[in-house]
Amino acid sequence: MNKKQHVTIHDIARRLNVSASTVSRALQNHPRISEATKDSVKKVAAELNYQPNVVASALRRGSSKTVGVIVPRINRNFFSNVIGGMEALLTSAGYHLIICQTHEKVENEVAAVQTLINARVDAVLLSISMETIHNDHLNLLTEKGIRLFHFDRVPTGTENGSVVIDDHLAAYISVKHLLEQGYRKILHVSGMDHINIYRNRKEGYLQAMHEAGMDVPPSWILQEPLVQEGGEEAFRKGMLMKKKAEAFFCSGDFVALGILQAAKREGISIPGDLGVTGFANEPFTAFLEPSLTTVDQHGELMGRRVSEMFLRCEQEENHQGQCEQVVLNPELIIRNSSRLIT
């Protein structure tokens, strides 16, 4: 037999000239099967390197015991922490994870949803891509009876359960901190407005600025890709203004890194001439020179909470938890990129 072929109970049955049902019962140690037959079946199963189809067995019991996870990028520390939190809880509950990443492309998200439907997962835990505007592909999950829960980035209008941090508050306290350090012309490097977290961060920024009596013209809000190159472009625009930017509140750490690098090339002192804050608390932020002030989003806790939500729904008959909305408190990590006053 070709060793690359998947061995089934039918292969064992043919070798022993017994029925497949006898093999199945023997492997399950059924009391009606003799010890001699059980021993023969187990011996041949070992010789053929038989591996039981765990998913098929679970499906016969009404559950695949698998959960699909869709994230924009696995190589972001925040998302890897979220997955770690999910894994810690779901693995101990007997579930396996199937992890997909979209690379911020909606077409990849659509493909991932279809893959998970085909895999017969029990639920999907999702953070939408930057390009995701419409939810038609997500409605397929509901139509197939697959539960859907969101974390971090939540599509507009969804009634599914979700776990997020208070992005409005996170932005508000970040900008308040910059104002308290004496910065006044604070520019905001924003993400896409159709994504809930970036919309909420912009609103938190505006609230803090308005409370400080600052008018915020549209030119102070820069919608750039939240990568290093986007930060370099935001820095260029901020320095070309008639009155140069005094600080940047960024919706991501990588875009803040781009600003720091551009400022260093131009000989601009941080935090003396320019304050910078980021968002996500990526590991590199503590080791930059100067170290980067940022927001900790508590990724591991978020992963645990959305997993708990799913597990509660599995246990509850009415599944009310599937519509639960959980908001976690953020934490501002103050470091040297914004600290003028000690």
Side-chain angles (χ1 to χ4, degrees):
M1 178 178 291
N2 184 350
K3 290 184 178 178
K4 291 184 179 179
Q5 250 181 335
H6 178 67
V7 177
T8 70
I9 59 173
H10 298 282
D11 299 314
I12 300 171
R14 279 193 292 270
R15 174 75 72 88
L16 294 170
N17 197 27
V18 297
S19 69
S21 60
T22 297
V23 173
S24 177
R25 291 190 184 101
L27 290 170
Q28 295 176 52
N29 204 29
H30 196 284
R32 293 179 59 184
I33 304 299
S34 70
E35 292 302 319
T37 301
K38 289 177 185 176
D39 290 342
S40 297
V41 167
K42 291 173 183 176
K43 181 180 178 181
V44 172
E47 289 174 359
L48 297 179
N49 194 27
Y50 167 74
Q51 300 292 327
N53 189 329
V54 177
V55 173
S57 300
L59 285 172
R60 285 194 292 273
R61 297 192 299 269
S63 168
S64 69
K65 299 299 283 187
T66 58
V67 173
V69 180
I70 304 178
V71 296
R73 293 186 186 276
I74 292 174
N75 66 352
R76 293 296 189 260
N77 185 64
F78 167 69
F79 289 115
S80 63
N81 283 342
V82 171
I83 292 169
M86 292 173 177
E87 209 165 29
L89 201 64
L90 294 175
T91 300
S92 64
Y95 288 86
H96 301 279
L97 301 186
I98 300 176
I99 300 168
C100 308
Q101 60 178 332
T102 63
H103 297 286
E104 302 290 10
K105 299 291 183 184
V106 69
E107 63 186 40
N108 293 344
E109 188 172 289
V110 171
V113 166
Q114 191 58 59
T115 295
L116 296 174
I117 289 173
N118 294 341
R120 304 283 296 276
V121 297
D122 294 329
V124 171
L125 313 180
L126 167 69
S127 183
I128 60 173
S129 77
M130 287 283 196
E131 293 183 353
T132 302
I133 299 175
H134 302 294
N135 304 336
D136 294 348
H137 60 296
L138 303 182
N139 294 335
L140 288 174
L141 293 165
T142 305
E143 292 170 12
K144 297 291 183 179
I146 297 172
R147 295 194 184 109
L148 174 61
F149 301 88
H150 301 285
F151 62 93
D152 189 45
R153 303 182 193 171
V154 179
T156 301
T158 184
E159 296 181 356
N160 298 306
S162 64
V163 182
V164 299
I165 68 159
D166 191 333
D167 286 284
H168 184 285
L169 176 62
Y172 178 81
I173 61 177
S174 295
V175 178
K176 284 277 287 184
H177 162 67
L178 288 169
L179 289 164
E180 287 166 358
Q181 298 300 300
Y183 301 107
R184 285 296 175 267
K185 186 173 183 179
I186 303 169
L187 273 53
H188 175 37
V189 187
S190 172
M192 305 297 286
D193 266 357
H194 68 272
I195 303 290
N196 64 306
I197 61 174
Y198 303 122
R199 189 169 58 248
N200 292 339
R201 290 172 196 177
K202 182 171 74 173
E203 290 171 357
Y205 158 78
L206 289 171
Q207 180 184 345
M209 294 293 280
H210 291 156
E211 285 182 4
M214 302 294 297
D215 291 326
V216 180
S219 60
W220 287 22
I221 299 175
L222 308 173
Q223 196 171 84
E224 301 290 342
L226 299 180
V227 294
Q228 289 174 238
E229 294 79 7
E232 292 177 1
E233 180 61 17
F235 173 83
R236 187 188 69 81
K237 290 177 178 177
M239 294 301 105
L240 286 176
M241 291 180 176
K242 187 173 181 180
K243 184 178 184 298
K244 293 180 180 180
E246 297 177 15
F248 287 92
F249 160 58
C250 303
S251 273
D253 284 339
F254 283 89
V255 72
L257 173 61
I259 292 171
L260 291 178
Q261 291 177 326
K264 186 174 182 179
R265 284 197 304 269
E266 297 297 320
I268 292 176
S269 170
I270 293 177
D273 299 326
L274 186 70
V276 183
T277 67
F279 214 108
N281 197 24
E282 292 285 341
F284 68 81
T285 58
F287 304 106
L288 294 172
E289 184 54 48
S291 55
L292 180 64
T293 295
T294 185
V295 172
D296 193 326
Q297 297 174 269
H298 304 303
E300 184 177 355
L301 176 61
M302 187 177 290
R304 284 181 173 273
R305 294 298 295 274
V306 74
S307 300
E308 289 170 356
M309 191 179 291
F310 158 65
L311 292 173
R312 280 199 304 275
C313 287
E314 286 288 272
Q315 296 166 0
E316 296 171 357
E317 290 186 7
N318 56 12
H319 308 313
Q320 288 182 350
Q322 194 165 348
C323 300
E324 188 180 356
Q325 313 292 317
V326 174
V327 180
L328 305 176
N329 284 325
E331 179 184 0
L332 181 64
I333 310 296
I334 298 174
R335 299 196 180 108
N336 293 334
S337 67
S338 64
R339 188 158 35 200
L340 279 173
I341 302 170
T342 57

